[in-house]
Structures are given as C-alpha cells and as structure tokens.
Amino acid sequence: QLLEANLCEEGSAPCKLSPTGCDIVATAFLVGDIWYTGVSAAFGQNHHMASKRSAGDALSRAYFKLSEALQRAGASVKVGDLALDAGAAPGGWTQYLLEQGCACVYAADPAELELASQSTEDGQPRGSVEHLSSTLAEASVQLAERQRQGHLPPLDVLTSDMYLGRGRSVVRALEEDG
C-alpha cells in the first residue's frame, strides 16, 4: 500500500498494483555484482516490446518485463551463463533467460512451471531448466551444497520476481536463510 501511495498521483484515478491489470511495474534484478532497479508504466499490446514477440509466444508478461529491464539498463545475459530464477512460476523470466543463451536456469518456486521445452530456430535444444520445487531458502541450500561438493560452479545471474514481504529483499533472504 505504501508503494501504491507513493506511485499514484494525488487526485488521479485510484491505482492498484497487482500481477495483472497493473498500471505501474517495479522491477529489480542482479547481474554480476550490480543491482538494476526501475519503475515504469505498464504496457499493453501496442508497446514497443510487445511488438518484438507475439503475446502468444511469451509465457507471461514477465517475459517482456525482464527484456525491457535489461534493455533499459544496458545489461545482457551471456551465452553459457548459469542462472537462478527466484519466484520462477509460471516461467516467463526462465523462458527469456533460456532464449538469451543461458546454459542452465535453476527455477526456484513451489508452484508449477508452465514452461514448454525450448529449442532454437534450427531445432537444437536451448539450455536446460531444473525446477527446484521449493522456497528460495530451500533451493539456495540445495545449490550451495552442490557447489561445496564441486558439482556446480558459481552462478552468473540471479533474477527475482517474488514478493518477500515488506522490507525484505532477495539478497537479505539469501544472507539470512541460505
């Protein structure tokens, strides 16, 4: 509610932030050691990002949100990167990360992914997805143990599109829980 109060102009029509039907999009993601954050107006089918991919091909609007955030920040995902997508369901950010060349995306979310198998234009499989059907805290413990055993190198990309409660961040959650 505090965020809504700060983002909605006084005297304007009431606004409500929600996963669907929102007027304003707040985004945060980590690339390497740098956090990128932004707030922008939500967009519809006529927005320039929507025209780059048909709405039927993108799993969710989150696909466009991550695409635009990276573009605006001048950041990119490198081919071969390993990524953790926290709060991955239904899979829009995971889909985007795979299409940008991630070798593997660890998709942490207790909810089911709706992600179909990914392949390149020539029919070759895109990177892999491992759905960690658990909370971020549980997933981070699993991945850290694999790293301690030498079965997993450090991850290159962390994305998060999840609600952790007022005053909490993914970084703080990982520090406290994992």
Side-chain angles (χ1 to χ4, degrees):
Q1 289 176 339
L2 179 61
L3 179 61
E4 290 173 3
N6 288 331
L7 294 176
C8 299
E9 294 180 26
E10 189 173 335
S12 67
C15 71
K16 178 76 174 151
L17 298 179
S18 65
T20 59
C22 63
D23 297 321
I24 299 171
V25 176
T27 303
F29 60 96
L30 177 69
V31 177
D33 293 338
I34 301 172
W35 275 100
Y36 296 92
T37 61
V39 177
S40 64
F43 53 88
Q45 290 295 80
N46 295 326
H47 188 274
H48 73 278
M49 290 306 295
S51 65
K52 293 185 178 183
R53 181 177 183 89
S54 74
D57 292 343
L59 185 58
S60 68
R61 191 176 59 193
Y63 177 99
F64 299 113
K65 186 166 69 170
L66 181 57
S67 174
E68 183 172 15
L70 286 169
Q71 179 185 31
R72 286 179 182 233
S76 63
V77 176
K78 296 181 199 89
V79 172
D81 276 353
L82 301 178
L84 170 59
D85 184 8
W93 283 17
T94 299
Q95 178 186 20
Y96 182 83
L97 292 167
L98 287 171
E99 289 181 7
Q100 298 309 301
C102 280
C104 184
V105 178
Y106 297 92
D109 200 307
E112 288 300 315
L113 292 180
E114 299 173 17
L115 196 61
S117 66
Q118 300 284 306
S119 59
T120 61
E121 291 178 11
D122 62 359
Q124 296 299 312
R126 291 196 197 269
S128 62
V129 175
E130 182 175 339
H131 181 206
L132 304 170
S133 184
S134 59
T135 65
L136 175 59
E138 295 164 341
S140 64
V141 168
Q142 291 173 16
L143 294 173
E145 182 58 29
R146 291 183 199 178
Q147 288 178 335
R148 278 191 287 279
Q149 295 173 356
H151 300 297
L152 178 66
L155 301 176
D156 304 296
V157 177
L158 167 65
T159 60
S160 174
D161 194 17
M162 57 189 269
Y163 175 74
L164 292 171
R166 189 173 182 177
R168 290 206 46 180
S169 71
V170 172
V171 172
R172 185 172 291 148
L174 288 171
E175 289 171 347
E176 293 170 359
D177 301 332

